[in-house]
Amino acid sequence: MDEQNDCIFCKIVQAAIPAQKIFEDDDVIAFNDINPVAPMHFLIIPKIHVASLMACEEPHQQLLGKMLLLAPALAKKQGCTDGFRTIINTGTVGGQEVYHLHIHVIGSKNRLPAMIHKSQ
Ligand code: AMP
Ligand code: ZN
């Protein structure tokens, strides 16, 4: 398995640091965000170290599809049947803090606030 020593999410994959896992299989793990912004806020990550969406290429297509399909499946299990928000922060412009690809899945009983405010 690809791994990077100083990567916090690789450490979660290796169970070297704990996480509140909600799903795991051979390819991916989903776990609750340590600093949730809504009642439901979990992350879906690949087990292999991929730095960001910018680093993804054609061989990652199946993995990306699997990660994306897991979002509604796990959100529904957590009771968010009316929808949720997915975010993939990418690179410095995207405000990415952890350089191991992850999808944020965020949900609440009520409508989430607008993500980016239109200037007019
Ligand atoms: P970003 O890279 O900006 O998309 O965000 C990284 C996310 O990872 C943030 O929402 C953090 O709260 C979350 N995070 C960082 N470390 C951990 C951890 N050990 N367990 C769970 N979530 C984490
Ligand atoms: Zn990693």
Side-chain angles (χ1 to χ4, degrees), residues 21-73:
K21 286 184 203 168
I22 58 171
F23 178 86
E24 180 168 11
D25 72 6
D26 288 345
D27 305 310
V28 300
I29 298 185
F31 53 92
N32 287 328
D33 195 293
I34 205 165
N35 192 15
V37 298
M40 179 187 78
H41 184 176
F42 62 87
L43 306 173
I44 302 172
I45 71 166
K47 283 193 167 178
I48 58 165
H49 180 85
V50 181
S52 81
L53 195 56
M54 203 75 99
C56 288
E57 293 179 337
E58 214 248 309
H60 298 108
Q61 188 169 319
Q62 199 173 346
L63 182 62
L64 287 169
K66 182 172 188 169
M67 289 169 66
L68 207 51
L69 273 175
L70 256 180

Side-chain angles (χ1 to χ4, degrees), residues 8-9 12 17-19 31-35 41 43 89 95-98 102 104:
I8 193 157
F9 287 176
I12 288 175
I17 64 163
F31 53 92
N32 287 328
D33 195 293
I34 205 165
N35 192 15
H41 184 176
L43 306 173
N89 294 321
Q96 186 174 0
E97 286 172 2
V98 177
H102 52 281
H104 293 258

Side-chain angles (χ1 to χ4, degrees), residues 59-117:
H60 298 108
Q61 188 169 319
Q62 199 173 346
L63 182 62
L64 287 169
K66 182 172 188 169
M67 289 169 66
L68 207 51
L69 273 175
L70 256 180
L74 296 177
K76 272 186 233 161
K77 273 193 186 159
Q78 304 222 355
C80 285
T81 49
D82 290 333
F84 54 86
R85 182 169 293 156
T86 47
I87 299 174
I88 307 176
N89 294 321
T90 304
T92 49
V93 170
Q96 186 174 0
E97 286 172 2
V98 177
Y99 278 77
H100 180 126
L101 176 65
H102 52 281
I103 302 177
H104 293 258
V105 185
I106 298 164
S108 172
K109 279 191 186 138
N110 304 307
R111 190 184 176 127
L112 295 165
M115 190 166 48
I116 295 173
H117 294 276

